[in-house]
Amino acid sequence: MDIWQAIILAIIEGLTEFLPVSSTGHMVIASSLMGISAFEFTKMFTVTIQFGAILSVVVLYWKRWINSFDFYKKLFVAVVPALLIGFVLKDVVDAMLERVEVVAISLVLGGIILVFVDKWFKDVENPVTTPSYKNAFIIGFFQCIAMIPGVSRSAASIIGGLTQNMTRKTAAEFSFFMAVPTMLAAATYSVLTDFLKLELSDIVSFNVPKFQLALSAINTQDWQVLIIGNVVAFVVAMAAIRFFVDFLTKYGFKLFGYYRILVGLIILLLLALGIDIQLV
């Protein structure tokens, strides 16, 4: 992977991470179209640039992060289902990530749902402005659906919020907050185990020599690619979040649904024509 490919993937990550269109699906497809080989570093890069996207949420909503300790406890409750289920099904999820047809079908089905979501949750009486622990836990289970590539973590968790009588804006913002610990945990674990090849016992005991040896294996060019990718993802995600909240409040999900359906159908058509867009 060269720097320009890294920048393109980072832009895609920043644009799609918090939109209900599936960032993972878009990056898998983009990587395939650019002919990026599925080396360990490539897989790790697509995960670690989420750190930049995560930071954008912290910066944009920094006042909420220093608001109260109760806020952190509810976030913890919300991410517990994803942490547990993700740990158990990690190998299954990794296998699905390399199947573009799974991404395409998920895009189409998720798009159909988004087209009708605004009608299903049209009138919100006495909307929930501050989620309870029960609300947070239920939304956390909805987020787990996004372990299927192409579903979209953002879409799943926002719909989960709508089922808990939240407004679109409140559900979207809570989805952003949930993304921080969820993505941080997933990205960190992936880097340590998949790329640095550390054993769980080394991580738990914080085996410094093993950490140093693993980090020394990353060359200068890889560090440059990682840093540039995260900076680009951070800047683009900042703009995308602002756009999404305003757009969602005014227009709802329908256009995102049509976009997902269009992209999914194009991918299925290409596959039907025998065009190889698998991750190489």
Side-chain angles (χ1 to χ4, degrees), residues 171-275:
E173 290 182 340
F174 191 70
S175 171
F176 300 157
F177 302 145
M178 287 174 61
V180 175
T182 302
M183 292 161 56
L184 183 62
T188 300
Y189 184 78
S190 178
V191 170
L192 293 176
T193 59
D194 295 336
F195 184 68
L196 297 181
K197 303 299 183 182
L198 292 170
E199 299 292 336
L200 187 59
S201 58
D202 296 325
I203 299 171
V204 173
S205 63
F206 196 68
N207 190 324
V208 176
K210 285 288 186 68
F211 273 84
Q212 291 175 333
L213 180 63
L215 289 172
S216 66
I218 306 178
N219 60 46
T220 303
Q221 183 178 351
D222 288 344
W223 279 116
Q224 290 176 343
V225 169
L226 288 173
I227 292 172
I228 293 173
N230 275 278
V231 171
V232 172
F234 168 75
V235 174
V236 175
M238 289 268 285
I241 289 174
R242 292 181 183 275
F243 159 78
F244 179 52
V245 173
D246 291 339
F247 186 92
L248 187 64
T249 302
K250 294 179 181 178
Y251 305 108
F253 292 96
K254 187 174 291 186
L255 289 179
F256 292 109
Y258 289 138
Y259 170 78
R260 288 177 60 108
I261 293 170
L262 177 62
V263 173
L265 290 177
I266 290 174
I267 296 169
L268 289 174
L269 176 61
L270 293 175
L271 292 175
L273 293 174
I275 298 174

Side-chain angles (χ1 to χ4, degrees), residues 114-149:
L114 288 184
V115 169
F116 295 100
V117 159
D118 294 320
K119 292 183 179 180
W120 296 338
F121 302 100
K122 186 174 182 180
D123 299 316
V124 180
E125 297 181 2
N126 301 316
V128 172
T129 55
T130 303
S132 65
Y133 288 102
K134 179 183 177 181
N135 297 147
F137 191 67
I138 292 174
I139 296 170
F141 270 104
F142 270 86
Q143 181 177 237
C144 294
I145 301 173
M147 291 179 187
I148 302 172

